[in-house]
Amino acid sequence: MTTKNQKTQRKHFVQALYKTLEGVVSPTPYLEISDGEQVEVNFLNGQGNLPRENVTEINVLDIDIASLFFDDFHILYEGVTGVGKTYTSDALFNTIFGENGHYTLRLSGGILGGSALEPFTTATLENGTPKTKIDHDKCSRYGALFIDEINRGDNNEVFQIVDGVVYLNGDTGYLRIPIPNTDRHKNLAIIAAMNPADAEHSAVSELDIAGENRFLKFNFPNGVAEAGSGQLEKRVQKDLYNTFWQEFSRTSGQTGDWRETYPVITDPTNLETGSTGNIREFIDIALGYVGYDPKETVARNNALLRQGDLSSNLVVTEDNNYQKVIETQGSLKHSFVRRDLGKIENLSRLFGFITGIKNGSYEIDTTLTNAAAAIGTVLESKRVTGAVYGNLMALVNDARSSYSKFHTDFQIPKSFGIRQGIWQAAVYAGQDAEKGKQFEAYRNTIQGAISKINVQGGGIADITLRSRLAADLAVLDCFSRSYEKDIETALKKKGQNAFKSFGALYQAKKSRSSVYEHRLDSILGGI
């Protein structure tokens, strides 16, 4: 398929899915994202709102369908029995893969509990002794797996399934299906479900941190009060598999069963992505406010300023606002870990893709709004069971509001990162300066920006984000002083050649200190 044709077939595939499932699955609202001067992400818990300009509603079915196009994360739904976790997932998988193309695995605790490896193994007799072996045909038999009550299974086995690699008796099995006419494979689509481990559901326990970190965890919304009797019409009343593939064939002209078509259409390497320069920066500077004690974050950044021979004017006061932030963060099981960064990026892309589906482009246009929604969703997945859902998102909205104001204050286009815009302005200032004054003009621009940022702001989010921006620019200033001669040479070059020289210098010297990679990579690393 050409890129153009892939996009067209993707459109037909998604449209046929929604059309087939519209009478089967209730579009239970999960969240809505509003994009404008004030960006908000609201968790709806099944309650829909009237359509509004620049507001995108995302429901459970949207998430399920969009997730098929991504191979590097899986969905975990937490919700009480009966809200539709199993029903929704089974309906989707039956539609695409038919009854024999997916597997539902229901786990249970105790010595009689089922094994998560069961769908991919076979039992044989060797010299009269039963032995379980990996069945490699079964490893590539299914397109999707639904794991019910995942928190009741053996963790080691469950982790192997989720990671897509099974180890047993010295053998290795890979859970994937080949993508026709390529040397690539499509990973198994996995959706898992669990009941909340609170006092009302004491028969279950929490999935441990290692397990949760392998999933994108969502609180499955209960839409019964909203949908009411309309839910009675949502039932499996027809052969979903044949209905779907006949509709797809009619609109796309493509023929073949799911094994021939599904892996090609959902091949993640063919899903074009577009993102703006401010997204990585917002992730960098927001995490230290939404997931950590902002006082400690500011102290860490101030230490870097002092090492760069600069004094800080930024301080977090332990007032009522600070106590509210700490109280809100008190509902977290733990803060961000390495796996969460990938989740944030992937979820940003997923939200962008859903927006593309709803606006008819069927492309991914990942925006800062999507990134904010992703950070908030991942953060909410870390809350202690029973804590109010949506409170942590308020912290993300505070950070997003402050960051938007920085773009206005510094007159930097919203698609640019603040640090990126300041650094580029410094390079241009150095190029335009008279001979012998180029490095001085370059550095004065950076230091002037630090002085403008290093001013006590209005709220804790503002102060915390300012501290990170100022500290990162201080690291850039230190890097520049350390390699003054090289930067003077780069500034003498014209146009993009100057930026390329900066990139080459950074790649050659960044190993000198981890702080260079941590603080400068999203500014200089991609050049």
Side-chain angles (χ1 to χ4, degrees):
M1 289 185 182
T2 64
T3 300
K4 182 178 180 180
N5 196 34
Q6 287 160 357
K7 190 185 302 180
T8 301
Q9 299 303 337
R10 184 160 63 235
K11 174 181 178 179
H12 292 311
F13 180 85
V14 171
Q15 286 180 337
L17 269 178
Y18 278 106
K19 183 175 181 179
T20 304
L21 290 168
E22 66 181 358
V24 179
V25 175
S26 179
T28 309
Y30 177 69
L31 58 78
E32 63 179 12
I33 304 173
S34 63
D35 197 357
E37 289 301 319
Q38 294 294 323
V39 175
E40 293 183 358
V41 178
N42 297 319
F43 292 94
L44 300 173
N45 193 29
Q47 178 181 338
N49 293 319
L50 289 173
R52 289 166 289 158
E53 192 71 23
N54 297 321
V55 176
T56 301
E57 179 189 273
I58 295 176
N59 61 57
V60 173
L61 186 59
D62 295 329
I63 294 171
D64 285 349
I65 290 176
S67 70
L68 298 171
F69 293 84
F70 299 85
D71 261 6
D72 40 12
F73 67 83
H74 304 296
I75 291 173
L76 170 61
Y77 285 127
E78 181 182 79
V80 298
T81 299
V83 293
K85 303 185 299 297
T86 303
Y87 175 84
T88 301
S89 300
D90 277 351
L92 176 69
F93 290 163
N94 272 323
T95 300
I96 300 171
F97 308 107
E99 291 185 1
N100 299 320
H102 71 102
Y103 196 96
T104 296
L105 185 64
R106 290 182 171 86
L107 303 179
S108 59
I111 59 174
L112 298 179
S115 168
L117 304 183
E118 175 188 328
F120 313 104
T121 59
T122 187
T124 61
L125 283 176
E126 293 187 5
N127 300 321
T129 303
K131 188 173 184 179
T132 302
K133 291 184 176 181
I134 292 174
D135 188 324
H136 292 278
D137 288 335
K138 289 183 178 179
C139 290
S140 59
R141 176 179 298 177
Y142 307 109
L145 177 68
F146 178 73
I147 309 176
D148 199 9
E149 298 194 61
I150 189 172
N151 50 331
R152 289 185 146 198
D154 178 273
N155 283 346
N156 181 53
E157 293 181 349
V158 170
F159 293 169
Q160 290 184 59
I161 297 299
V162 175
D163 292 340
V165 184
V166 175
Y167 304 100
L168 188 64
N169 298 324
D171 196 7
T172 303
Y174 297 93
L175 311 184
R176 61 191 188 182
I177 52 178
I179 300 175
N181 303 316
T182 73
D183 57 356
R184 300 189 303 278
H185 292 80
K186 175 71 178 175
N187 291 348
L188 200 66
I190 297 177
I191 296 179
M194 60 182 281
N195 293 326
D198 56 26
E200 294 179 275
H201 311 91
S202 56
V204 298
S205 59
E206 292 275 9
L207 186 65
D208 68 20
I209 299 301
E212 286 194 2
N213 281 339
R214 284 172 161 79
F215 288 90
L216 279 169
K217 185 179 177 184
F218 295 91
N219 189 52
F220 198 95
N222 186 354
V224 172
E226 180 78 8
S229 63
Q231 289 274 23
L232 297 174
E233 309 302 322
K234 303 291 184 178
R235 61 180 66 182
V236 178
Q237 300 173 323
K238 51 192 174 183
D239 183 345
L240 296 176
Y241 178 77
N242 284 324
T243 300
F244 165 68
W245 285 108
Q246 287 172 9
E247 173 65 17
F248 173 73
S249 178
R250 183 188 68 81
T251 57
S252 69
Q254 293 282 111
T255 58
D257 66 7
W258 72 265
R259 289 183 175 278
E260 298 172 89
T261 309
Y262 164 78
V264 177
I265 292 176
T266 60
D267 182 357
T269 62
N270 294 329
L271 194 62
E272 307 84 16
T273 61
S275 60
T276 51
N278 56 356
I279 291 176
R280 285 190 68 186
E281 177 175 76
F282 182 66
I283 293 172
D284 286 347
I285 67 176
L287 295 187
Y289 170 70
V290 302
Y292 298 89
D293 183 335
K295 185 177 179 181
E296 294 181 6
T297 298
V298 171
R300 178 183 297 185
N301 290 327
N302 286 347
L304 274 178
L305 283 169
R306 288 194 297 271
Q307 292 171 33
D309 298 325
L310 297 168
S311 59
S312 174
N313 298 317
L314 301 166
V315 60
V316 173
T317 304
E318 294 190 27
D319 55 13
N320 289 337
N321 291 327
Y322 171 76
Q323 294 302 328
K324 288 179 181 178
V325 172
I326 297 302
E327 182 179 342
T328 302
Q329 291 180 345
S331 65
L332 289 171
K333 295 177 185 175
H334 63 93
S335 196
F336 292 96
V337 295
R338 184 183 183 279
R339 274 200 176 108
D340 293 327
L341 300 177
K343 290 182 193 178
I344 290 169
E345 180 181 22
N346 291 331
L347 193 53
S348 299
R349 296 167 65 220
L350 183 140
F351 287 155
F353 184 41
I354 291 173
T355 302
I357 291 173
K358 290 181 179 290
N359 66 26
S361 70
Y362 292 85
E363 296 181 346
I364 294 181
D365 183 17
T366 308
T367 65
L368 186 64
T369 302
N370 301 138
I375 291 173
T377 303
V378 171
L379 192 66
E380 293 287 352
S381 75
K382 298 173 177 295
R383 67 186 175 87
V384 175
T385 298
V388 177
Y389 207 83
N391 282 2
L392 290 163
M393 189 67 225
L395 300 179
V396 182
N397 286 332
D398 287 345
R400 176 67 181 84
S401 178
S402 292
Y403 188 62
S404 178
K405 187 174 183 297
F406 293 157
H407 277 94
T408 301
D409 291 346
F410 284 90
Q411 298 182 331
I412 292 174
K414 291 186 177 181
S415 61
F416 280 73
I418 304 296
R419 301 166 304 178
Q420 181 186 34
I422 290 169
W423 170 66
Q424 289 189 4
V427 172
Y428 289 131
Q431 288 179 315
D432 293 341
E434 61 182 271
K435 187 176 181 180
K437 299 285 188 180
Q438 291 173 308
F439 181 76
E440 180 182 353
Y442 162 82
R443 192 177 172 211
N444 284 344
T445 303
I446 295 174
Q447 289 187 319
I450 294 173
S451 297
K452 187 174 181 180
I453 293 170
N454 188 18
V455 176
Q456 187 78 353
I460 298 175
D462 190 85
I463 295 167
T464 309
L465 269 60
R466 282 176 180 272
S467 77
R468 175 68 192 237
L469 289 172
D472 289 359
L473 290 173
V475 173
L476 177 62
D477 183 58
C478 177
F479 179 86
S480 302
R481 281 183 286 140
S482 298
Y483 304 105
E484 180 176 343
K485 295 299 182 184
D486 298 286
I487 288 178
E488 283 181 337
T489 300
L491 292 172
K492 293 175 183 177
K493 297 184 178 182
K494 302 297 182 183
Q496 290 301 311
N497 289 330
F499 295 102
K500 290 179 181 179
S501 293
F502 267 91
L505 175 64
Y506 170 72
Q507 294 298 336
K509 304 297 184 181
K510 69 177 183 179
S511 62
R512 182 182 175 190
S513 173
S514 63
V515 75
Y516 286 158
E517 183 167 347
H518 296 163
R519 300 292 181 133
L520 302 182
D521 198 67
S522 56
I523 308 173
L524 305 176
I527 299 172

